Amino acid sequence: GARVLSYAELAARARRLATLLENEGVEPGTVVGVGGPRSADVIAAFLAIELIGALDVPADETWPAGRVRDVLDQAGASVLIAAEDAGALAEGAAEAGCRIVPFAAADGLDPWPGEPRLDSLDRPRYVLFTSGSTGRPKGAVVEHQGMVNHLWAKIIDLEMTDADVVAFTAPLGFDISIWQMLAPLLLGGRLDVVGDEVAHDPVAFARAVDEQGITIVELVPTMVRHLLDDLSPESLQSGGTTPQTPRRPPLGSLRWMIATGEELPAELSRRWLEAMPHARLLNAYGPTECSDDVTHHTVTAGDLRAQQARFTAPP
């Protein structure tokens, strides 16, 4: 939204949240639930939990209370820090016997004065739960060194700098949320928190990319397809726009589109490269248990020509 935090303000907010959590009995090794919509407070809470050596377990605001209960109960979370209007999060936390602490309770507290309590890189850092498509959802425990390795893999492969602006679009329970939150902070870059009302609307999202100067975006291929469909000249000319969006957003600031979470079809890759030649396309894949992505491949026109040749070659 309209809230802007400098690095100093983000650090101060994280340390106030660390004070709040320590006052609630959180110590190294404690599992802390973090819930609510994507926000600056969610990011500050992740940093606060790291400061005091605890573990983060995200709880998405869209989950039903039963899912929240199961996740917090399995993870052994003792505290859930969340927005004040917690809804199903509060209900699920109560059923799991987990104390609910609002972000606002940190307002006015003194910043936590200590040094980060990281005594080992193999210390567990966060717990993310699988979708449950192969049975009951299971908690994947990721160590600090795995998380950091993946952050630097993103930075290196995307050639990120402090000039980059990363869109934070992922639900809290989705593993890509971790790198979206943290990678730009390692470089002094900017993180743009995009709410669902914009992230789920291709035209509104494209406008946000343009207005905010976003340079790196990660979407599932289905959303990439919708983005191309809704922003095509044919779609806009046939009424696929509103009086507030009379022209096609150019996405001129975009350097990278990362496709993840689903198969990336060659046909969709070709459409992207033709429509957005200034923005490279990265095909990413990886399981939550391996600290997120384990493969990155930059899709090129040469890849598509080679694939076409393989399919059209005589037997």
Side-chain angles (χ1 to χ4, degrees):
R3 186 182 185 189
V4 178
L5 292 182
S6 68
Y7 272 80
E9 290 165 336
L10 178 62
R13 184 61 175 166
R15 286 187 172 273
R16 288 190 175 92
L17 288 170
T19 296
L20 173 64
L21 291 174
E22 192 168 62
N23 290 346
E24 292 292 327
V26 175
E27 56 188 19
T30 300
V31 179
V32 178
V34 177
R38 292 182 294 279
S39 67
D41 273 334
V42 164
I43 299 159
F46 196 96
L47 300 175
I49 290 166
E50 180 164 59
L51 280 170
I52 56 183
L55 280 77
D56 183 291
V57 56
D60 194 273
E61 64 165 345
T62 64
W63 289 349
R67 164 92 168 166
V68 175
R69 178 199 62 226
D70 286 350
V71 163
L72 296 177
D73 185 55
Q74 284 190 66
S78 59
V79 174
L80 171 70
I81 187 166
E84 288 191 272
D85 184 17
L89 289 173
E91 183 182 345
E95 292 176 1
C98 189
R99 296 193 311 283
I100 305 167
V101 180
F103 290 123
D107 297 346
L109 294 179
D110 291 332
W112 190 73
E115 293 297 317
R117 291 172 177 164
L118 180 64
D119 55 9
S120 173
L121 287 177
D122 60 6
R123 175 192 287 273
R125 180 63 186 87
Y126 63 85
V127 183
L128 283 176
F129 278 74
T130 62
S131 63
S133 58
T134 56
R136 188 183 183 194
K138 307 168 188 68
V141 181
V142 176
E143 295 177 347
H144 193 279
Q145 59 188 345
M147 179 188 77
V148 172
N149 182 68
H150 180 246
L151 295 179
W152 282 108
K154 279 290 190 292
I155 288 169
I156 292 168
D157 289 354
L158 300 178
E159 300 173 346
M160 291 174 62
T161 72
D162 61 358
D164 276 307
V165 183
V166 176
F168 180 21
T169 57
L172 299 190
F174 195 7
D175 53 9
I176 67 174
S177 66
I178 304 299
W179 90 262
Q180 287 183 354
M181 282 194 295
L182 301 182
L185 302 183
L186 285 171
L187 300 169
R190 183 154 61 88
L191 177 65
D192 197 272
V193 182
V194 182
D196 282 347
E197 70 282 358
V198 172
H200 295 169
D201 180 336
V203 174
F205 180 63
R207 191 185 313 124
V209 170
D210 197 40
E211 293 174 352
Q212 301 299 326
I214 291 171
T215 62
I216 300 174
V217 165
E218 185 170 29
L219 300 173
V220 294
T222 297
M223 186 61 177
V224 175
R225 187 181 299 279
H226 286 311
L227 191 66
L228 291 174
D229 288 345
D230 287 3
L231 298 180
S232 69
E234 296 79 10
S235 176
L236 295 181
Q237 290 169 9
S238 65
T241 185
T242 68
Q244 290 74 35
T245 57
R247 62 180 179 86
R248 177 186 180 186
L251 301 182
S253 62
L254 200 62
R255 293 200 311 112
W256 284 100
M257 171 60 72
I258 306 169
T260 192
E262 301 169 355
E263 179 185 4
L264 177 61
E267 167 268 334
L268 181 58
S269 300
R270 184 175 292 104
R271 286 186 62 193
W272 179 266
L273 295 182
E274 290 174 353
M276 306 290 172
H278 60 282
R280 287 177 285 181
L281 178 64
L282 188 79
N283 191 13
Y285 167 78
T288 300
E289 294 85 347
C290 293
S291 311
D292 198 359
D293 290 328
V294 296
T295 64
H296 289 160
H297 179 74
T298 303
V299 181
T300 67
D303 292 330
L304 300 178
R305 286 193 297 270
Q307 193 230 29
Q308 182 67 24
R310 285 197 299 271
F311 279 98
T312 56

